[in-house]
Each structure stands twice: as structure tokens, then as C-alpha cells.
Amino acid sequence: MNSDQIATLRQLMEYEAGRTAPPEGFPDLPDLPAGRYTDQRFYDLEQLHIWRKSWLLAGHIDEVPEPGCFRLWETAGQPVVIVHADSGAINAFYNTCSHRGAPVVTEQSGKRARLTCRYHGWTYNHDGGLVGIRDPEDYRNLDFASRSLRDIRCERFGNLIFVNFDDQAPTLLEWLGPIADEWQEFQFDKCRLAARHIFDLDCNWKIAMEANTEVYHVRSIHAKTVSPILDDRRNVNTFYLNGHGRMVAPIPENVKGLGVLGMPNTNEVETVGEIARTCTQSYGIFPNWVSPLSARAIPPLLFWPNGINKCRLETWTLAPAWDNGPKPDMWTVNDGESLNEVLLEDTEFGAWIQKSVESYGFRGVPLSYQEARIYHWNQFADRLIGIENIPPELRVAQVIGEEWIYPNDPRVELARAALA
Ligand code: FES
Ligand SMILES: [Fe+2]
């Protein structure tokens, strides 16, 4: 982040603290329909479009560190195997033999010179090419070239491995847009995978994620944990293209460190700038990534559907090199035994809210200006699904216009006028 961007953010923080109403020109947000959390039609549309067309964090290079290493990944509901090829490329394939669909790997991870299907022995190389079959004399003109493993778009951001099931999707860098530049200072190509765990929750995946997409809840459910270290009235929300968002809120000056959040004792990434050192900042990457970023750790939370009223929360800790001793883990206790205090607070109401949204009494969700990142996410979700594909009663109106999408921001002028 350059000095102009930092100065603008500081002005916006003071503007947010001083305003007595939502910013002039910011739209009123219509209620989110309750059916977006409960209606099977909407769930099916999410499967067909959101999960199929978005870039999804699937792995880390530390999980497939050498040529021949592979890892099974099924969290997105598709059978995927991620393979480190001899060329150094990281490939992703459907774990589906081109003969009769048996898996080419059945272990969670391992290392192999070739991927050999255990049903009838068809063999593939690390680039998915079919290189051998048993009893070839029993086929006439079997075209090996057209019987490769079906590949899946797979791109890296530093050491992170993302996949996309849509051959037509933009590149990962296009998908991230300006965020890719903003993240340069965190050196994703150096981050190590320190911890990765998964927890089952009894609510729709968006209910769980939305608890991490606004700071309106902080003074209530995090009164003793997050609230003392986060100046929520100075929080600045930014809306990016493709449904992404960011919050930046200063850490009050009288607070030393972030010990309450279990900030690990890792080395610092020296290139990390002033905002990440003096503020809590968190990015939401569409569809399911929420992560604070700091000089000591990048700990993404990922939210995955597991049926319409169940989800899985995946907790990651990425960190630069750490000294000997336990691996840093920002989110769990005893290496994944349970969520930490902050996440227990964030997930406390999930099952209750799910019961509420399924009840006869629940109609919709009136979001405040503070919660507008949730609305922005939903607007983009509808565009990705295709608005015409969504039953009218389940749509959200497209009320947040382009003028609010970064780098556009009418609040910058309002903030300067307020300071003048
Ligand atoms: S299904 Fe794989 S070799 Fe037959
Ligand atoms: Fe929270």
C-alpha cells in the first residue's frame, strides 16, 4: 500500500468515526430474502454457478512439495487430485479414471512415479496423460490422447494452490484484481503452511461466513476478546470487483500487540506495511475466504456447504518461518481439538440462526451500512448465477452501484470535505 492509499484510509477512518448517518448517496439495502439460506432452489444454483465458476483455495505447496507428490481434495464436493508434476507445475485432475471411473488415488496424500488406477491398472503420468493400459490387444484403436485424466484449472498465488472448475473462468490474477497487488507486501511465495483443520457446523455456510464479514457484532459477542483491540467505529469497508471486500479498523493506541488473538511468535514479514501493523484488516475473497493479514500470519477461514443447513469451517494458518517449538495456529486449541475462543464466539449462534431462518416467522435480513460487505457479496453472487436464473423472490436488488466499487469511492470526497 503506498503512502497516498494509507493517507486516504486514515481520512476515511476519521470520516467513519464522525459521520452521523450512512454516507450521502449510499443506497438503502433491501432485506436479503430468508430463502437464500433455506430454499433448495437457491442451494442448487449456488452449486451450479458459485462453486463451479469461482477460484477456490484447495491446497498449499507444502502439501505437495516434490514432483510425484499428490493430495486428494474433495471439500468442494468434487473428487479432485492435486499433483506436483516433474516439470514443477502443480496440476489438478478429477480423480476419475478414464476407463470406468474408479479413483486413480485413494489415499489422502502420497508420492508416486505414476498414477495407476487400482481397478484395471490404467496408468497416467503427472500431467494426466494415459501412458499404459493392461491387455492393450483387447482394444482396437484406443486413442490414448483422448483418454487423459480430465484436468481442472489450477493456478498458484505464491505458495497457495487454487482451482476453478470452469474452463471459461478468468485467470486467478484477473479474479483477484487489485487485491493481488495489495497482497504483494505479504510475500505469499514465502508463507509456510503451519496449520489446517476442519470443523462441522450446523448452519448454512453463508450464516457462518457472515459472522466474519462485518464488525457490527464485535462489541456484543466479542466484548472481552476482539472488542478491546479493534476500534469498530473507525472501521472502513471497501468493495472490490467480483464480490470481494475488505475491512480495515485501527488497533487502539493503548493496546500492545494482539496477544488475545493468539498472534503466533513467528518471524515478521519485513515488507508488510503500516496499515497491516497498526490495524486489523481482513479480506473477503469471493466466495468463501475470509482472512486477516498481518506481518506475522495469514490465517484464512474457509466456509464450505455441506448440505443446505450444514457447513464446514476450515481454519488455516500461514506464516513465515517460525522458530522451533509448536507450529503457530491462529484458530484452534491443541492442534485442532477445538476452535479457539474467538471462533467459538463467532460460531455460537449458527445453529440458532439456522432454526430461525427456517421458521415460519423469518422473512428477511435488514442489513445496515456497516454490514454492506454482506450485501455486496450477495449482489455479485446473483450476477455470477445469472439474475434471470434466480426465482424473483430469492434475488437481491442490484443497488450498490459501480461508483462504490474500488477504486471508486464517494466517501473519499466526503471525508476530505469533512476535514476541510
Ligand atoms: S476403472 Fe480404472 S482401469 Fe478400469
Ligand atoms: Fe467475529
Side-chain angles (χ1 to χ4, degrees):
M1 216 178 278
N2 65 37
S3 54
D4 282 351
Q5 291 168 315
I6 293 170
T8 300
L9 257 178
R10 296 283 183 201
Q11 288 171 356
L12 286 171
M13 288 174 192
E14 293 314 305
Y15 166 76
E16 293 288 356
R19 65 179 173 76
T20 54
E24 198 184 316
F26 194 81
D28 290 337
L29 303 175
D31 287 15
L32 295 182
R36 294 171 77 89
Y37 307 97
T38 59
D39 193 311
Q40 190 64 37
R41 294 172 298 170
F42 196 76
Y43 182 83
D44 293 344
L45 288 168
E46 288 179 349
Q47 290 294 320
L48 198 57
H49 299 281
I50 291 179
W51 298 105
R52 198 164 181 180
K53 298 180 191 167
S54 302
W55 283 99
L56 306 171
L57 178 61
H60 187 284
I61 193 75
D62 286 354
E63 296 170 314
V64 282
E66 294 165 16
C69 290
F70 67 86
R71 186 178 163 90
L72 196 54
W73 181 69
E74 301 190 314
T75 321
Q78 295 285 313
V80 178
V81 58
I82 295 167
V83 184
H84 191 145
D86 297 329
S87 64
I90 306 296
N91 298 323
F93 306 105
Y94 291 95
N95 183 27
T96 302
C97 178
S98 302
H99 177 222
R100 278 168 50 201
V104 290
V105 305
T106 50
E107 307 91 330
Q108 280 306 307
S109 61
K111 187 173 179 184
R112 298 253 186 82
R114 292 271 185 267
L115 301 176
T116 300
C117 177
R118 285 172 47 212
Y119 201 178
H120 314 91
W122 285 27
T123 300
Y124 304 85
N125 64 25
H126 299 149
D127 294 312
L130 179 63
V131 292
I133 68 169
R134 183 178 302 149
D135 302 337
E137 62 275 18
D138 288 341
Y139 279 99
R140 194 172 282 134
N141 304 325
L142 180 73
D143 176 23
F144 275 40
S146 66
R147 304 289 174 179
S148 302
L149 295 176
R150 269 287 306 280
D151 62 340
I152 302 165
R153 296 276 300 280
C154 183
E155 294 182 19
R156 283 171 60 183
F157 187 82
N159 286 342
L160 300 186
I161 301 164
F162 286 79
V163 300
N164 191 314
F165 297 103
D166 180 11
D167 292 337
Q168 309 301 318
T171 65
L172 176 59
L173 285 182
E174 288 167 342
W175 178 254
L176 293 172
I179 292 171
D181 289 334
E182 290 173 20
W183 282 2
Q184 290 304 321
E185 65 184 68
F186 296 98
Q187 300 195 40
F188 277 72
D189 55 340
K190 300 228 171 65
C191 70
R192 306 257 62 96
L193 177 62
R196 182 179 181 180
H197 303 288
I198 200 155
F199 297 86
D200 289 310
L201 302 177
D202 292 321
C203 62
N204 182 273
W205 69 283
K206 300 190 296 299
I207 289 173
M209 185 170 68
E210 286 163 4
N212 292 274
T213 316
E214 41 87 359
V215 295
Y216 195 27
H217 70 279
V218 166
R219 268 180 280 158
S220 306
I221 69 169
H222 300 308
K224 295 207 174 73
T225 50
V226 180
S227 189
I229 59 165
L230 187 148
D231 183 353
D232 61 281
R233 289 311 301 177
R234 283 184 168 72
N235 180 51
V236 177
N237 287 324
T238 302
F239 313 104
Y240 294 89
L241 87 174
N242 295 336
H244 312 316
R246 182 189 68 193
M247 59 138 301
V248 179
I251 300 166
E253 277 179 14
N254 57 355
V255 172
K256 290 252 184 343
L258 292 175
V260 68
L261 288 183
M263 189 59 81
N265 193 23
T266 57
N267 299 332
E268 289 199 356
V269 177
E270 285 175 10
T271 46
V272 168
E274 174 194 325
I275 290 294
R277 290 174 189 273
T278 59
C279 302
T280 297
Q281 66 173 338
S282 175
Y283 282 79
I285 303 299
F286 192 96
N288 69 332
W289 152 307
V290 176
S291 184
L293 292 100
S294 74
R296 289 185 183 276
I298 303 165
L301 298 171
L302 304 176
F303 300 85
W304 303 98
N306 188 18
I308 193 165
N309 58 2
K310 303 227 179 301
C311 68
R312 311 192 81 191
L313 166 57
E314 197 175 359
T315 64
W316 289 53
T317 299
L318 306 167
W322 55 88
D323 297 331
N324 290 338
K327 290 183 177 183
D329 184 343
M330 289 281 287
W331 298 123
T332 83
V333 176
N334 290 340
D335 197 21
E337 191 175 289
S338 70
L339 294 170
N340 72 1
E341 192 179 2
V342 171
L343 284 185
L344 286 175
E345 291 169 349
D346 277 322
T347 54
E348 179 184 354
F349 295 129
W352 294 83
I353 294 171
Q354 186 65 34
K355 265 189 277 185
S356 294
V357 296
E358 288 175 5
S359 76
Y360 303 139
F362 201 85
R363 303 243 155 73
V365 179
L367 294 170
S368 69
Y369 164 67
Q370 277 201 54
E371 298 162 290
R373 279 187 297 144
I374 296 174
Y375 198 93
H376 171 60
W377 184 99
N378 278 276
Q379 270 195 199
F380 180 72
D382 282 15
R383 293 211 296 278
L384 193 63
I385 292 169
I387 294 169
E388 296 305 316
N389 293 326
I390 306 171
E393 68 275 20
L394 296 177
R395 297 175 190 167
V396 297
Q398 303 283 316
V399 298
I400 301 176
E402 289 295 315
E403 69 277 19
W404 294 95
I405 306 302
Y406 186 83
N408 300 328
D409 191 341
R411 292 171 303 185
V412 174
E413 282 310 309
L414 296 172
R416 289 189 181 141
L419 287 172

